[in-house]
Amino acid sequence: MYFFIRSVLFGLMLGAFLLIALPVIRDISFNGTYTNTNGENKRLSFYHAIAKAAPAVVNIYSTHNEIFRSRYKTQTLERTSLGSGVIMDSNGYILTCYHVIKDAEQIILGLQDGRFVQAQLVGFDPYTDLAVLHSNAPDLQVIPQLDNPSPQLGDVVLAIGNPYNLGQTTTRGIISATGRAGWGSYIGNQNYADFIQTDVVLNDGNSGGALIDSNGVLMGINNANFKTLDDKRQVKDVAGVSFAVPYTLAKRVMDSIVQDGRVIRGYLGIGVQSRLDNSPLIINSITPNSPAYHAGLEVNDIIVQVDGQTITSEQALVQWVAESSPGSQIEVEIIRKSKKIRLPIIIGELKG
């Protein structure tokens, strides 16, 4: 009996100690709902982030006419495309995906305050699948932005868009990878965008919408799900693998389109490959009449340095050249047949 009483007293003393030391335990009700000391429910919520960003995400409806000709008649059908867009500044500039408004003859924006307004295409960039629209509508809500939001692996992100025209919808996930080359629009087998990979759910109509962080800050412009072929060779979406254009790249593209009407990128006209990670790049193709061709570069040349910098990945070289000003001169150091050679090259302009 003595040991029983001692055990009961010890249990009561331990329970009292825990309630004093950890008062949060007292606020857990029997149904598992966490409540704070004043009795209000306390839950994990992204309401405030969404409330700041969602009014700046618009629904986009674009129409274009398709002409079908047969032996006996010609028929014109009006097609409507669905997508989303993001209001980037108070001047009415809006970012979306190029494939959302491609060939559009009319573009209508559905604002979250219930208004429907017209928009005009300012310009587009097929290399990043981005387009800039403009609207003269007053009182537009601008999405929160930072100069460098620095997306990190594991960050919680939210995708805001208009899937299947159901109305504005938010889905949640995390950043699965950053700097994901090998996705997006390709010209000459070179990729001009490092995408953010997430596991947020995207459906038809989400393209061009906002990818935000848990504070409501814009992280990127949602593009599409990853696609593959099934056993019948039919294209299908892969659940849990989605992509977005990073904010810093999207903003740079928008500013260039607004200022110059297009994105100006440098161009060399070479294809390269690396044998191993961090190994020198080997030129495997030269475009005829390109800057590289006129400078005397040849297939199988090994690139050692570009303007004194060592570059060991194809993507790094593509980005470096793309950000160089057309008309500027660079020096490329190569190894050809065991001999080091330095060649000056005038950067050209990449054409769409």
Side-chain angles (χ1 to χ4, degrees):
M1 178 63 70
Y2 169 75
F3 292 102
F4 173 76
I5 295 174
R6 188 176 66 172
S7 299
V8 171
L9 290 174
F10 177 78
L12 291 173
M13 293 173 61
L14 178 61
F17 171 78
L18 289 175
L19 287 174
I20 295 172
L22 301 173
V24 68
I25 295 177
R26 292 176 296 175
D27 298 326
I28 301 177
S29 61
F30 290 106
N31 62 8
T33 302
Y34 182 81
T35 59
N36 57 23
T37 54
N38 61 13
E40 296 176 353
N41 288 341
K42 186 175 182 180
R43 62 175 68 90
L44 177 64
S45 174
F46 301 103
Y47 170 80
H48 294 292
I50 297 169
K52 289 189 291 185
V57 181
V58 302
N59 304 339
I60 296 179
Y61 307 92
S62 60
T63 60
H64 67 280
N65 293 324
E66 291 186 2
I67 299 175
F68 297 90
R69 292 185 175 89
S70 66
R71 180 179 301 179
Y72 304 104
K73 65 177 180 179
T74 299
Q75 186 178 13
T76 301
L77 295 177
E78 184 179 81
R79 300 287 190 186
T80 301
S81 298
L82 178 67
S84 302
V86 181
I87 301 171
M88 298 294 291
D89 66 25
S90 58
N91 293 319
Y93 289 107
I94 297 151
L95 266 175
T96 187
C97 289
Y98 174 48
H99 73 261
V100 168
I101 51 80
K102 185 177 181 181
D103 301 325
E105 297 176 14
Q106 184 181 39
I107 302 172
I108 301 296
L109 307 180
L111 307 182
Q112 298 311 312
D113 60 11
R115 289 180 290 168
F116 288 88
V117 299
Q118 285 196 334
Q120 296 75 42
L121 176 64
V122 178
F124 60 88
D125 178 41
Y127 296 95
T128 55
D129 191 32
L130 290 173
V132 179
L133 309 178
H134 182 262
S135 173
N136 290 318
D139 303 321
L140 294 176
Q141 179 85 30
V142 178
I143 198 162
Q145 300 165 58
L146 293 175
D147 288 340
N148 184 10
S150 301
Q152 300 291 329
L153 179 66
D155 285 352
V156 172
V157 284
L158 308 165
I160 307 176
N162 180 27
Y164 300 117
N165 202 27
L166 291 172
Q168 193 176 86
T169 302
T170 302
T171 56
R172 178 180 63 86
I174 64 168
I175 292 178
S176 307
T178 58
R180 183 64 82 196
W183 169 259
S185 300
Y186 286 78
I187 301 293
N189 293 324
Q190 292 183 337
N191 187 19
Y192 290 86
D194 283 341
F195 284 74
I196 298 172
Q197 180 185 329
T198 74
D199 65 348
V200 296
V201 176
L202 298 182
N203 291 297
D204 291 345
N206 275 110
S207 294
L211 184 75
I212 64 170
D213 68 7
S214 56
N215 295 314
V217 174
L218 184 63
M219 303 294 281
I221 303 298
N222 291 317
N223 186 277
N225 293 328
F226 183 71
K227 292 175 173 56
T228 188
L229 297 177
D230 60 19
D231 54 2
K232 296 181 180 179
R233 307 298 293 174
Q234 300 294 315
V235 176
K236 68 173 184 177
D237 289 340
V238 177
V241 184
S242 305
F243 296 92
V245 181
Y247 167 78
T248 50
L249 174 59
K251 182 65 163 55
R252 188 164 66 243
V253 167
M254 186 190 80
D255 290 344
S256 185
I257 289 175
V258 171
Q259 178 178 329
D260 302 312
R262 69 190 194 281
V263 180
I264 299 174
R265 292 186 176 92
Y267 170 67
L268 276 185
I270 62 173
V272 297
Q273 66 179 22
S274 60
R275 294 168 294 184
L276 298 168
D277 289 344
N278 298 320
S279 67
L281 299 175
I282 301 174
I283 297 176
N284 58 15
S285 65
I286 303 284
T287 303
N289 296 318
S290 65
Y293 175 87
H294 292 297
L297 287 175
E298 298 178 1
V299 173
N300 294 324
D301 285 347
I302 299 173
I303 297 177
V304 179
Q305 288 187 331
V306 179
D307 261 3
Q309 298 184 44
T310 301
I311 298 178
T312 58
S313 75
E314 176 185 3
Q315 186 64 18
L317 178 62
V318 169
Q319 295 287 355
W320 193 91
V321 173
E323 293 174 6
S324 301
S325 300
S328 62
Q329 179 174 297
I330 64 172
E331 184 180 75
V332 177
E333 182 178 313
I334 62 170
I335 296 177
R336 181 184 298 164
K337 297 179 180 178
S338 302
K339 182 180 179 181
K340 281 190 176 182
I341 302 174
R342 290 191 176 124
L343 295 174
I345 303 178
I346 303 298
I347 296 289
E349 182 178 344
L350 181 69
K351 303 295 183 181

